[in-house]
Amino acid sequence: MHQLKEQLANAALAGLVDNQKYISQDEYLPKLLFNTPTDHVKTHLDEELLSCSSFTFAVAFITESVLTMLKPKLADLYEKGITGRIITSNYLGFNNPKVFKELLKIPNLKVRILEQSDSFHAKGYIFNKPGYQSIIIGSSNLTETALIRNYEWNLRITSYENAALTDQVIQEVEQQWQRASDLSEEWITSYEKNYQNIINPNLWESNDLINDSKAQYSKIVPNNMQSEALNSLDTLRAEGKKKALIVSATGTGKTFLGAFDVQKVNPKRFLFIVHREQILTAARDSFKKVLGGNPEDYGILSGNEAHKDARYLFATIQTLSKDAVLSSFNPSDFDYILIDEAHKSGANSYHKVFYYFKPDFLLGMTATPERTDDFNIYELFDYNLAYEIRLQKALEEDMLAPFHYIGIKDFEFDGEVGDDKTRLQNLISEERMYYVEKQLDYYGYSGKAIHGLIFCSRTDEAVEIAKILTNKGLPSISLTGEDSIKYREQVIKDFKKGIYDYIVTVDVFNEGIDIPCVNQVVMLRNTQSSIVFIQQLGRGLRKYPGKDFVTVIDFIGNYKNNYLIPIALTGDHSRNKNSLRSKLSTDQIIGMSTVNFTEVAKQRIYSSINNSNLTELKQLRDDYQDLKKRLGRVPLLFDFTMHGSVDSTVLINRFNNHYEFLLKMKEDFHLSIFEDSILTMISKELLNGMRIHELLLLKLLLQTDKFVSKENLLEQLKAHDARTDSQTLDSMLSILELSFYKDQDKLKYGNTPYVTLDNNNYFLNKKIADSYKNNTTFKLLIDDVIKTGLLKATDFNQLKPLTVGKKYTRKDACRLLNWEKDYSSTIYGYKQAFNTCPLFITYAKSNDIDEGIKYEDEFLNSQTMRMFTRHPRKIDSKEIQAMVQGNQSGKVEMPLFVKKVMMKELISTI
């Protein structure tokens, strides 16, 4: 306890007196919290909740959206027996009655209300910890805008339990708590009756705002992203392009975007082609709103209507592709053709129409260009990808309704967790459905009435779940692939009217269904595809009056494909396990949407990531083919990086270099054994960009027929904000001479110096230079590695040997600390050499490690770690004294590397 007092005292002095004189742990240091693109007040609230023993929130305003975000954390606290309190108010009628109903659902939360007359407007958060408190006080209410978007100021302070400030805050909260009334169903009923009288409309929106809103909707104009897409289409046409493809996430206004472009082009005749008759009328009406004009200019061509002579014709592919219908048109009748859901264009019916007409311009639009067959949609549109609006970007631009994803554990059957082989009778058991019903109620939905979609794995499961939910008072109906289109349409109409609370389906609603009122999406099945996951999630993302957000509840069992969930939600297709794990470590925020997991669900996903082979050849081949289709050529490492696909280092770890990967992809590339070895070394050792020096020198040498002077290199390093000390330059040369490496590595890398230094001039190996000049494949692949490595180098602080938080191997550490040799195989815990002494710790020890070396290393806080020296060293041992004296004198740097578990040799700086 004395140590804690000292740490808190240092934190106060460092934060309020002298930050240079007093050293403090970050978690105790006073800190200003505000929202930035990479940091949010919500994140700090989450962290405080995870480490508290109890908490009290004193906030005037609360939104339903924030409660949905916090419920997974509160559910975890409930499992640990941790309770909390909230004191809030009905001040100004901000808090919707439904907010109070949601608060009552949280079993480990006590809530009290201060009446409007008290003018309660506080914003404070108190977290009790063992021996001290953390307090956040400032301008942030418990609302999504305050915790995620708005520019708010909040001060986080830590205080010992009997400190004056702590006492003052707690006493004030307790006084307010005693004055407040318990939240109850009776209080909510009374509040609902008076709610409209409490609300002051002029407080939240002025007449000017209302008039502006009406003016906005009287004339439809492109949003920012639509404007960018329209400019891109203009540029393509100016370049003489006849075809283009737009990729736009579901709900981002593809139809309006098409109408805006048709308005700009003003064609004599326009043809809109779609695969489903239900979409035609809505598409026609959208175009009318933008284009205006004579209603008779708009016609429909389908199985039920045939207005073939209309200026703006909206046709189903099924009708248009009939020989008699198609031949009744002249190939040049339409100067602008738009194909909706263009990813279906691989079908024969589309090809028939596609190659019959000769328009001046052909536009394809799709939300999902990825295909499970071999059809290349990009090739069909001459690789002219005009614009791309993916889900994450659309959410950040507020084009869609925000969602709050809640990943929770699935029901356990007699202590066994459901997996890919769970039997049907377990999936539809009364016990599981009772658990499901409780979770659906707990996490709730936005709006006055539930409009939920439930996705499950099997047709018979969908039928039974619908019956069970209906019997539980939640009117539900199943829709499967066996149901006719007419029946589906009637069910959807009834669903929109509120006749059904839930539609239970398998894969019927993956795409092409527009039900904007959906406010809850439930995943009761294993995720088999990140594409399908996004399609199903997208069913709820259209904006709708009275719907502020969509609740997505995912029941996570022991499924081997759980790793696909973070891939789908974050758009991270790197196949890099460390990248995926890092995205799970904190809840993700995308625009105003959030990704939240309970601890058990998160651990199940961690387990899936750890146990899955994300780099199986089939998966990599699929990623490769997708990118090749998009580019219309062989993808290089730089292409994978720029398009957010597979991490180039993942490929290199698996295949040594890109050439060997291309051979696996059956590409016709050729290198000599020597060239292959050179490419391997540069790829495996330099591609990561951890140090820019070797890459930059190689680039300079390959660009000249002579040499590069040391003076020129130093100028380039300064221009790239990289260190220029002689030790680093010597280390760089030892890498490029191969003298750093062990004999077996030298043989693998060609066994000849790549670069030599003579009279302060660097010279490139003549054999390498000749290969670079004479073999276009070698030149292409070498340039690609260097270009990609230089891009990756921007992620590292080149003015320092190591960047805090990045991951390194022991071999990397030897190189970056300027050691003359690779001593990685002889480093056990720590090694002092060349005025450095890196410390290597495995945090979670394996059970089979000998007890004599199973050291109890542990983090004491975010800034301090306890580490044990090798057995049987003592404080007066020569080895230990050298470390202590060197560190105290500043002559020996001691970077700390920690890896979580003893698996691979991947470690990270702290």
Side-chain angles (χ1 to χ4, degrees):
M1 199 58 68
H2 174 73
Q3 183 181 15
L4 175 62
K5 282 185 177 181
E6 185 178 344
Q7 291 172 336
L8 291 170
N10 283 338
L13 291 169
L16 303 175
V17 179
D18 189 338
N19 192 35
Q20 303 297 318
K21 181 178 179 180
Y22 299 97
I23 300 174
S24 172
Q25 282 74 38
D26 183 65
E27 65 264 41
Y28 303 141
L29 194 68
K31 187 174 184 179
L32 182 66
L33 308 180
F34 52 94
N35 296 312
T36 72
T38 57
D39 191 24
H40 304 87
V41 177
K42 176 190 179 293
T43 304
H44 294 279
L45 284 184
D46 288 343
E47 291 173 350
E48 296 292 347
L49 281 171
L50 286 174
S51 58
C52 75
S53 55
S54 65
F55 63 91
T56 299
F57 294 172
V59 287
F61 302 153
I62 304 174
T63 60
E64 194 179 344
S65 181
V66 162
L67 290 182
T68 304
M69 300 179 206
L70 291 178
K71 280 179 180 178
K73 295 287 182 302
L74 298 178
D76 281 336
L77 294 181
Y78 178 71
E79 294 290 328
K80 300 174 184 176
I82 295 174
T83 61
R85 304 185 304 175
I86 290 183
I87 181 170
T88 185
S89 76
N90 59 353
Y91 182 53
L92 300 176
F94 181 94
N95 294 337
N96 190 291
K98 191 161 180 277
V99 166
F100 293 114
K101 293 179 181 179
E102 293 300 319
L103 285 167
L104 274 185
K105 292 180 182 179
I106 304 171
N108 54 329
L109 191 63
K110 293 181 179 179
V111 182
R112 286 193 174 181
I113 310 296
L114 285 165
E115 298 298 332
Q116 167 150 327
S117 58
D118 294 301
S119 300
F120 181 77
H121 205 230
K123 298 108 175 174
Y125 306 84
I126 304 170
F127 303 92
N128 295 314
K129 310 288 183 72
Y132 72 101
Q133 287 82 28
S134 289
I135 302 176
I136 296 175
I137 298 178
S139 64
S140 288
N141 272 300
L142 206 55
T143 69
E144 63 273 23
T145 51
L147 299 184
I148 294 176
R149 175 182 288 173
N150 291 350
Y151 185 64
E152 309 266 354
W153 276 16
N154 301 277
L155 183 63
R156 187 201 70 184
I157 55 176
T158 56
S159 175
Y160 198 66
E161 58 188 7
N162 59 355
L165 180 59
T166 304
D167 284 345
Q168 184 180 355
V169 172
I170 291 177
Q171 286 176 18
E172 181 59 30
V173 169
E174 290 303 323
Q175 286 181 15
Q176 299 302 321
W177 183 263
Q178 296 303 320
R179 292 178 56 240
S181 305
D182 285 334
L183 178 64
S184 64
E185 292 183 1
E186 292 76 17
W187 186 93
I188 295 173
T189 300
S190 174
Y191 180 65
E192 280 184 303
K193 291 178 181 178
N194 300 315
Y195 182 57
Q196 293 302 323
N197 297 326
I198 296 174
I199 296 175
N200 180 359
N202 293 324
L203 178 68
W204 305 117
E205 53 182 8
S206 68
N207 291 329
D208 291 337
L209 286 173
I210 295 172
N211 291 333
D212 287 346
S213 177
K214 291 179 179 177
Q216 178 183 350
Y217 287 102
S218 64
K219 182 180 179 182
I220 300 174
V221 296
N223 57 40
N224 290 338
M225 296 183 74
Q226 287 171 335
S227 296
E228 292 177 10
L230 293 170
N231 291 336
S232 180
L233 288 169
D234 282 343
T235 300
L236 286 173
R237 283 191 288 264
E239 295 172 351
K241 308 295 186 185
K242 298 288 187 179
K243 302 175 186 175
L245 180 67
I246 295 279
V247 175
S248 185
T250 299
T252 55
K254 292 194 300 294
T255 305
F256 277 119
L257 173 56
F260 290 133
D261 196 53
V262 170
Q263 184 181 50
K264 295 183 73 172
V265 174
N266 192 26
K268 294 179 181 178
R269 290 196 72 191
F270 164 72
L271 175 63
F272 183 99
I273 303 173
V274 70
H275 72 289
R276 293 177 62 248
E277 189 168 345
Q278 302 93 302
I279 302 175
L280 279 184
T281 303
R284 180 197 61 188
D285 293 344
S286 295
F287 271 76
K288 277 184 181 180
K289 291 177 182 177
V290 174
L291 302 178
N294 190 339
E296 294 182 0
D297 286 344
Y298 299 85
I300 285 182
L301 177 61
S302 68
N304 299 317
E305 299 182 63
H307 304 128
K308 293 169 52 179
D309 297 327
R311 179 185 178 187
Y312 304 112
L313 184 61
F314 297 79
T316 63
I317 189 64
Q318 293 85 353
T319 301
L320 185 62
S321 61
K322 292 179 179 178
D323 290 339
V325 176
L326 191 60
S327 62
S328 67
F329 292 98
N330 187 297
S332 59
D333 271 352
F334 302 99
D335 37 342
Y336 192 129
I337 295 178
L338 191 157
I339 300 179
D340 192 32
E341 304 291 351
H343 58 278
K344 297 182 178 294
S345 299
N348 291 333
S349 57
Y350 279 91
H351 276 222
K352 189 175 178 181
V353 171
F354 194 93
Y355 292 110
Y356 179 81
F357 288 110
K358 306 297 179 186
D360 293 336
F361 191 69
L362 177 69
L363 178 63
M365 306 187 82
T366 180
T368 53
E370 296 86 358
R371 296 280 296 176
T372 54
D373 55 27
D374 290 330
F375 172 64
N376 187 351
I377 185 176
Y378 300 101
E379 181 181 16
L380 194 65
F381 291 90
D382 296 341
Y383 302 100
N384 296 325
L385 180 58
Y387 199 73
E388 188 167 9
I389 307 173
R390 291 293 186 156
L391 174 64
Q392 282 76 17
K393 191 173 181 182
L395 288 166
E396 289 168 358
E397 292 290 330
D398 196 29
M399 299 176 73
L400 302 171
F403 71 85
H404 298 307
Y405 170 90
I406 312 294
I408 61 177
K409 67 177 182 178
D410 203 346
F411 182 71
E412 298 183 6
F413 312 96
D414 296 327
E416 294 183 7
V417 182
D419 58 23
D420 304 275
K421 299 177 181 179
T422 300
R423 295 175 295 175
L424 175 64
Q425 53 263 44
N426 282 337
L427 295 176
I428 60 174
S429 69
E430 283 291 332
E431 293 82 2
R432 187 198 190 210
M433 294 313 301
Y434 173 75
Y435 173 77
V436 168
E437 180 194 11
K438 281 185 61 179
Q439 304 310 311
L440 300 188
D441 178 63
Y442 178 73
Y443 289 106
Y445 54 87
S446 172
K448 295 181 178 179
I450 178 65
H451 295 283
L453 287 182
I454 297 178
F455 292 95
C456 57
S457 302
R458 313 170 191 177
T459 297
D460 47 2
E461 180 187 357
V463 173
E464 291 302 318
I465 286 175
K467 290 180 182 178
I468 294 171
L469 289 177
T470 300
N471 292 335
K472 289 180 176 292
L474 298 170
S476 304
I477 192 167
S478 62
L479 273 184
T480 72
E482 299 173 3
D483 297 316
S484 68
I485 292 178
K486 185 176 181 180
Y487 177 73
R488 293 183 199 176
E489 291 175 350
Q490 184 58 51
V491 168
I492 292 171
K493 287 180 182 178
D494 293 341
F495 177 71
K496 291 178 178 178
K497 293 177 182 177
I499 295 175
Y500 301 111
D501 288 352
Y502 288 98
I503 295 178
V504 189
T505 185
V506 183
D507 290 323
V508 171
F509 289 166
N510 287 1
E511 59 179 336
I513 299 293
D514 188 9
I515 316 178
C517 64
V518 169
N519 54 13
Q520 191 185 77
V521 176
V522 182
M523 310 292 194
L524 275 178
R525 81 292 173 272
N526 179 16
T527 299
Q528 295 289 348
S529 161
S530 59
I531 297 172
V532 171
F533 185 98
I534 291 300
Q535 289 173 336
Q536 293 176 345
L537 172 66
R539 295 309 100 205
L541 297 185
R542 290 190 185 274
K543 292 188 174 183
Y544 187 74
K547 182 176 79 173
D548 295 328
F549 61 92
V550 184
T551 305
V552 182
I553 308 172
D554 196 353
F555 290 81
I556 300 173
N558 276 346
Y559 302 126
K560 64 179 182 179
N561 287 338
N562 280 339
Y563 69 87
L564 291 172
I565 295 173
I567 291 176
L569 289 169
T570 65
D572 183 344
H573 297 279
S574 66
R575 300 205 175 276
N576 186 317
K577 290 188 175 185
N578 290 310
S579 177
L580 286 180
R581 281 189 288 254
S582 69
K583 287 180 170 59
L584 280 176
S585 61
T586 56
D587 291 342
Q588 296 293 299
I589 296 175
I590 311 163
M592 295 299 290
S593 299
T594 63
V595 177
N596 313 272
F597 294 96
T598 60
E599 279 303 311
V600 173
K602 185 182 292 187
Q603 290 305 319
R604 288 178 183 173
I605 297 178
Y606 275 132
S607 178
S608 173
I609 293 173
N610 294 338
N611 296 327
S612 297
N613 181 2
L614 303 188
T615 59
E616 289 180 350
L617 189 59
K618 180 185 181 303
Q619 294 175 323
L620 294 176
R621 182 179 285 111
D622 289 343
D623 292 334
Y624 175 79
Q625 291 298 335
D626 284 343
L627 188 53
K628 185 177 181 181
K629 289 174 183 176
R630 175 184 290 249
L631 298 172
R633 59 171 172 78
V634 170
L636 300 175
L637 295 176
F638 192 77
D639 297 316
F640 282 103
T641 303
M642 295 305 294
H643 285 86
S645 187
V646 183
D647 187 339
S648 55
T649 55
V650 170
L651 289 176
I652 300 309
N653 288 338
R654 173 82 191 272
F655 297 99
N656 288 326
N657 60 50
H658 196 46
Y659 167 66
E660 294 185 16
F661 174 64
L662 293 176
L663 293 182
K664 287 287 186 182
M665 298 299 103
K666 309 297 183 185
E667 300 291 0
D668 188 21
F669 277 48
H670 300 283
L671 293 181
S672 68
I673 295 176
F674 175 74
E675 291 166 343
D676 187 11
S677 65
I678 303 301
L679 184 64
T680 294
M681 183 274 178
I682 297 175
S683 300
K684 291 190 75 67
E685 303 292 345
L686 308 181
L687 174 70
N688 53 46
M690 293 174 180
R691 188 165 72 188
I692 200 173
H693 299 63
E694 293 89 342
L695 292 165
L696 200 54
L697 179 56
L698 286 173
K699 180 183 178 182
L700 294 172
L701 286 168
L702 291 168
Q703 290 174 343
T704 180
D705 292 330
K706 299 179 181 178
F707 56 82
V708 172
S709 67
K710 181 177 283 190
E711 182 181 5
N712 185 10
L713 175 62
L714 290 174
E715 290 176 359
Q716 291 294 319
L717 289 172
K718 290 176 182 177
H720 285 80
D721 290 325
R723 57 196 179 280
T724 57
D725 58 280
S726 59
Q727 294 89 349
T728 300
L729 293 182
D730 290 344
S731 173
M732 172 201 70
L733 186 61
S734 73
I735 297 296
L736 295 176
E737 285 181 334
L738 301 188
S739 61
F740 171 83
Y741 297 102
K742 300 171 184 177
D743 290 342
Q744 62 268 32
D745 287 333
K746 291 179 183 178
L747 287 171
K748 183 171 64 175
Y749 295 155
N751 207 26
T752 184
Y754 294 13
V755 174
T756 54
L757 178 65
D758 184 23
N759 197 25
N760 282 332
N761 292 317
Y762 295 100
F763 293 86
L764 183 65
N765 180 294
K766 186 177 183 305
K767 190 174 181 181
I768 296 175
D770 289 343
S771 286
Y772 186 79
K773 291 178 183 177
N774 300 323
N775 187 338
T776 56
T777 297
F778 183 66
K779 181 180 187 303
L780 176 71
L781 297 180
I782 287 289
D783 286 346
D784 177 42
V785 174
I786 293 175
K787 185 179 180 181
T788 306
L790 290 173
L791 177 64
K792 287 181 173 291
T794 59
D795 292 333
F796 295 87
N797 182 355
Q798 297 296 334
L799 290 173
K800 292 186 176 295
L802 300 163
T803 301
V804 174
K806 295 295 183 180
K807 294 180 172 56
Y808 302 92
T809 64
R810 287 179 170 83
K811 185 177 181 182
D812 293 329
C814 293
R815 169 195 164 209
L816 298 172
L817 292 174
N818 297 333
W819 291 11
E820 63 180 16
K821 296 286 185 181
D822 173 14
Y823 295 113
S824 57
S825 62
T826 63
I827 299 176
Y828 303 103
Y830 50 87
K831 185 178 181 70
Q832 186 167 347
F834 309 102
N835 298 321
T836 60
C837 183
L839 312 174
F840 299 92
I841 295 176
T842 300
Y843 193 66
K845 309 297 192 295
S846 174
N847 290 329
D848 57 4
I849 294 180
D850 185 273
E851 288 298 326
I853 58 172
K854 199 169 185 178
Y855 307 120
E856 297 178 6
D857 307 314
E858 64 173 332
F859 283 106
L860 299 179
N861 50 56
S862 64
Q863 299 291 310
T864 308
M865 187 171 192
R866 179 170 64 185
M867 176 187 175
F868 286 79
T869 59
R870 287 189 286 261
H871 183 77
R873 306 306 192 271
K874 297 181 179 179
I875 191 64
D876 57 353
S877 298
K878 182 178 180 181
E879 174 184 286
I880 305 306
Q881 281 300 304
M883 292 168 59
V884 172
Q885 293 171 10
N887 185 47
Q888 290 176 343
S889 66
K891 294 180 180 179
V892 177
E893 293 186 19
M894 300 177 67
L896 173 65
F897 299 84
V898 181
K899 63 178 177 179
K900 184 177 180 181
V901 295
M902 187 168 288
M903 294 188 301
K904 295 185 178 178
E905 199 185 282
L906 201 58
I907 48 186
S908 62
T909 61
I910 300 297

